[in-house]
Amino acid sequence: MLDPQETEAQFEHRWWELMTEMRVRFGKKPDMNALLLLIGVQELGQGAGPFTKEQKQDLMHIATCRLFSISGYYELDRVDEEGWPHYRLLQALPFSNLKEQERMLKWHVLEYFDEQNAEE
């Protein structure tokens, strides 16, 4: 879960390092929706598309579930016959306000990309 040893400054530094890496990789700084879409596409593993608007929403949902599986809120339930992952909610997400929700999502994005980099 969130690292109580990490200061806000350290967290923000890690976030801006990731944003810089993404800017170099894609030519512009992505917003959270773009990051979720990227993660969803990676998790689907079928290439960059093209995807319909509905499929893009589904990809962002896959990304959110995958991210929160890091902390045990979701788990992969199954992969359907078309290769799309489906997750099961294990426990309610503990958001008390929008700022906390955004920080928790950012932390999970950082952890996801740390995992991806460790596997390379």
Side-chain angles (χ1 to χ4, degrees):
M1 190 69 191
L2 299 175
D3 183 358
Q5 304 295 325
E6 184 175 46
T7 67
E8 192 63 28
Q10 290 168 323
F11 175 81
E12 288 299 323
H13 179 75
R14 284 200 313 142
W15 181 253
W16 288 110
E17 280 185 333
L18 177 63
M19 292 299 97
T20 300
E21 180 184 322
M22 292 294 137
R23 183 180 293 123
V24 168
R25 192 169 169 191
F26 297 109
K28 64 181 182 176
K29 179 184 155 203
D31 62 11
M32 187 58 74
N33 287 337
L35 286 171
L36 291 174
L37 186 59
L38 172 65
I39 292 167
V41 169
Q42 282 185 198
E43 290 301 307
L44 181 61
Q46 297 180 5
F51 296 106
T52 67
K53 183 177 180 179
E54 183 177 318
Q55 287 173 321
K56 288 177 183 178
Q57 290 174 336
D58 291 344
L59 288 165
M60 291 170 70
H61 177 72
I62 288 168
T64 302
C65 293
R66 170 60 180 89
L67 289 172
F68 286 106
S69 72
I70 293 169
S71 294
Y73 292 100
Y74 285 88
E75 73 176 1
L76 182 62
D77 185 40
R78 65 185 176 87
V79 175
D80 69 21
E81 60 281 348
E82 295 176 359
W84 287 71
H86 295 266
Y87 285 81
R88 176 177 47 237
L89 179 66
L90 299 176
Q91 58 180 317
L93 296 169
F95 300 132
S96 62
N97 61 50
L98 195 57
K99 184 176 180 178
E100 188 177 293
Q101 180 179 354
E102 180 182 15
R103 189 180 194 288
M104 192 170 181
L105 189 55
K106 284 181 175 181
W107 182 85
H108 282 87
V109 167
L110 288 167
E111 293 301 304
Y112 177 84
F113 282 106
D114 284 351
E115 283 179 11
Q116 298 301 304
N117 290 337
E119 292 174 6
E120 292 178 358

